[in-house]
Amino acid sequence: MLGRPRWWRSRKTSPRRIRSGGDTASIRSLEGSSARLPMMESCSHPRSLFVNDLGPLPLLFVVCMRGVWQQQAQPPPTIVYPGSACEARRIASSPQPSGLGVICPLGAGYQGRGLWVYSRLYRLHGKNPEHLSVATQAFKFITEKFRDVNHPDGWCVETGRQGSSEMKRGEDRLDVGTTGYGTAFIAEGCIEYFRASGDPAALAIATAGIRAFTALVDDPRHKSDTHIPEPFVGSRCLGHAMILLSLTRQFLEAPSILLAGSEDESFVQKLSDRAVADVTTSFYRDDVDLVREVLQYDYSPVTHGPNSRFVYLGHGIETLWMLMLEAVRREDTKLYDWAATKFMRHVDIARDPIHGGVFRGLDVESHTFLIDADCKVKWAQDEVLVGCAILLRHGLPSGTTDPDAGWASRNYKWIRAYMDDKYRKPLRERGLPYVLVGGDRTVTFQERYVNAGQMAAPSRKENYHHPRSLMLVAELLDGLDA
């Protein structure tokens, strides 16, 4: 669709829920069935590629998210641990997906992400009570084992399998000196869990969490993310603005979960306005028409060194689809057109014309991409997919004409086929039912994935971006092929 986004005609400002019947009902088999989803070969809409791609049950995703980990060396015994461990060994020699080993510790951010995934899976994808039960277990584990007893609104960075007795903290509260994502993703998980369960304790944690995360981001002692070329204390990162943009939208989108006129609603609305301004003004570089990743504490540009030239394309793409959804929530055509136009540009810039997919990082002066052992992280490809689905749902920017009229459909099909070939197929060929989390420029299969962006987790498995993209795409494209 060209011109104005769809909501100006339909007044529907949020994606429709997955219906309980028909072809979309099979999304529920993400956890609980090994059968393939129905084929839709006669459908010309790219959603057919999404449905076809889900394939068999991704067992590792289910094991990660169920709220328990089972590590079985020689049966019996089976040792059951609570929580959501994100890192696991892949044993390629094993023909069965049971050849998995779990690596501790358990990170706070992964717990919150796991809570979000299962809460949303229950709320919008079939209302299977087992999914809500898993989310409830995750919520209970988080609140019992990740509380920082020295700071009531703080959360431990990570813990061992037994919980609070093995806590690791920041300098004097959660994540000072690190990224602070643990607090943010616990808050996000609690937003979705409150929507799914109605538990007021989850809403209280979420509202306290967004305040704590904001204070942490604004702390001048805060250190930038490890993916910055030269991390430094007192930085401002696009990744934090992105998370604030996402959190505030999830608080405010209909039906709002905050009391109208309340202090919490006012705080979150102002924070939403700040996040939008940060992305569209402070982090945006008009000289290259891209969003940069890092600024000085006072929001002034970094003028020297590799940080001044660095664009984290993966975060840029992810941030811009979130900004598109915020524009949909606000019914703001100008903001939607800006975000959609920049999203399309970032995808076009990030594209690898030789080996396919998108790169995660770029030096804008030398126009050289960040090429290392995980320059083709899967999550960056996931963000392209979600953004294309938003464009298919709500329309391309106003005034778009050929040859860009088919941009969203063409790029959706392209990135979906690339992801299937590079991230899903290699593990299926080895009898393992999940996806690679990343790889080098050609996504060479690695027995132990070298995560250059997170060296402490060299064999990380994805428990958030992959299932999030599956659910969001299903929600966005539901009914468009009817």
Side-chain angles (χ1 to χ4, degrees):
M1 174 183 175
L2 302 183
R4 292 187 182 276
R6 294 177 185 271
W7 75 81
W8 263 266
R9 173 170 50 84
S10 65
R11 307 301 295 174
K12 293 180 179 178
T13 60
S14 60
R16 287 181 290 172
R17 294 186 178 188
I18 296 299
R19 298 185 296 272
S20 60
D23 56 279
T24 54
S26 296
I27 189 72
R28 289 175 292 174
S29 68
L30 273 172
E31 193 255 16
S33 171
S34 60
R36 286 187 175 273
L37 297 187
M39 297 297 183
M40 300 172 59
E41 299 297 345
S42 61
C43 176
S44 60
H45 195 278
R47 185 176 178 278
S48 62
L49 287 175
F50 163 73
V51 175
N52 291 346
D53 180 67
L54 286 181
L57 166 71
L59 177 64
L60 181 56
F61 162 61
V62 175
V63 174
C64 281
M65 302 305 308
R66 288 183 64 86
V68 297
W69 265 98
Q70 294 182 342
Q71 183 178 21
Q72 191 169 359
Q74 292 182 352
T78 296
I79 306 173
V80 180
Y81 298 96
S84 171
C86 190
E87 190 184 357
R89 286 191 192 89
R90 178 175 60 245
I91 304 176
S93 60
S94 172
Q96 300 298 325
S98 59
L100 299 171
V102 181
I103 304 172
C104 271
L106 305 176
Y110 298 128
Q111 313 307 310
R113 287 171 164 184
L115 176 60
W116 185 92
V117 167
Y118 255 83
S119 297
R120 194 174 188 92
L121 190 60
Y122 168 78
R123 184 171 71 91
L124 295 180
H125 299 273
K127 292 194 177 296
N128 185 331
E130 185 178 355
H131 298 156
L132 182 60
S133 175
V134 173
T136 300
Q137 293 176 51
F139 179 71
K140 181 179 180 181
F141 180 74
I142 289 170
T143 54
E144 289 182 354
K145 303 300 184 182
F146 273 83
R147 285 283 194 187
D148 185 339
V149 295
N150 295 321
H151 301 89
D153 293 329
W155 301 92
C156 296
V157 179
E158 60 188 33
T159 182
R161 293 179 183 175
Q162 303 304 321
S164 58
S165 62
E166 302 168 274
M167 288 178 177
K168 175 183 176 182
R169 298 182 178 85
E171 293 172 7
D172 66 353
R173 70 178 190 274
L174 171 69
D175 278 352
V176 172
T178 58
T179 64
Y181 286 155
T183 299
F185 287 116
I186 285 177
E188 183 181 42
C190 286
I191 293 172
E192 191 61 43
Y193 182 64
F194 174 74
R195 288 187 179 275
S197 70
D199 187 339
L203 181 58
I205 290 172
T207 53
I210 193 171
R211 290 177 180 273
F213 179 66
T214 303
L216 201 151
V217 168
D218 289 340
D219 192 323
R221 296 172 297 167
H222 190 78
K223 191 175 182 179
S224 52
D225 289 355
T226 56
H227 60 259
I228 302 300
E230 294 181 349
F232 64 98
V233 174
S235 61
R236 300 281 186 180
C237 292
L238 177 66
H240 297 137
M242 173 187 74
I243 290 175
L244 290 175
L245 185 66
S246 177
L247 286 177
T248 54
R249 175 181 55 79
Q250 292 179 75
F251 269 113
L252 297 170
E253 64 187 358
S256 176
I257 59 176
L258 299 176
L259 182 64
S262 66
E263 182 181 349
D264 283 335
E265 185 191 49
S266 176
F267 175 83
V268 171
Q269 184 59 64
K270 290 177 181 177
L271 196 58
S272 173
D273 294 339
R274 164 184 157 176
V276 170
D278 284 351
V279 174
T280 58
T281 304
S282 301
F283 286 97
Y284 175 63
R285 282 189 57 174
D286 58 1
D287 60 326
V288 293
D289 197 19
L290 296 169
V291 288
R292 72 189 108 207
E293 182 63 22
V294 63
L295 295 167
Q296 301 282 3
Y297 182 76
D298 62 0
Y299 287 95
S300 62
V302 178
T303 57
H304 299 91
N307 287 346
S308 67
R309 309 187 299 267
F310 183 61
V311 170
Y312 203 44
L313 291 164
H315 267 183
I317 292 167
E318 185 176 10
T319 301
L320 290 165
W321 73 247
M322 291 178 179
L323 189 60
M324 283 194 281
L325 287 186
E326 175 60 18
V328 170
R329 187 191 71 80
R330 296 180 178 212
E331 299 190 6
D332 186 334
T333 51
K334 183 177 180 180
L335 181 61
Y336 182 89
D337 286 347
W338 189 92
T341 300
K342 304 312 177 190
F343 170 82
M344 294 166 66
R345 172 165 171 77
H346 280 69
V347 172
D348 288 338
I349 293 293
R351 184 192 311 270
D352 183 345
I354 298 175
H355 296 290
V358 294
F359 290 104
R360 80 176 200 276
L362 171 70
D363 183 311
V364 295
E365 290 188 10
S366 63
H367 204 273
T368 54
F369 292 106
L370 177 62
I371 298 179
D372 57 20
D374 66 336
C375 60
K376 293 289 182 66
V377 287
K378 183 183 177 293
W379 64 260
Q381 326 304 316
D382 286 321
E383 313 314 340
V384 175
L385 192 74
V386 173
C388 288
I390 294 170
L391 293 175
L392 289 167
R393 178 89 223 180
H394 296 293
L396 292 171
S398 300
T400 303
T401 58
D402 290 334
D404 287 335
W407 191 96
S409 178
R410 182 173 63 253
N411 281 278
Y412 182 100
K413 293 176 181 177
W414 162 71
I415 200 66
R416 183 74 274 171
Y418 174 80
M419 292 165 69
D420 180 66
D421 182 58
K422 294 296 186 179
Y423 301 94
R424 181 170 173 261
K425 183 180 176 181
L427 289 189
R428 296 300 188 276
E429 291 174 342
R430 292 165 172 81
L432 297 171
Y434 201 51
V435 292
L436 296 174
V437 72
D440 57 18
R441 187 174 183 182
T442 60
V443 195
T444 306
F445 177 82
Q446 304 171 49
E447 176 60 28
R448 284 187 61 80
Y449 170 60
V450 180
N451 188 343
Q454 190 178 5
M455 294 306 292
S459 190
R460 170 182 169 179
K461 298 296 174 287
E462 183 59 70
N463 79 333
Y464 178 66
H465 296 89
H466 178 63
R468 181 178 73 173
S469 70
L470 295 180
M471 288 190 284
L472 291 181
V473 167
E475 295 160 24
L476 288 159
L477 300 189
D478 177 41
L480 293 189
D481 54 354

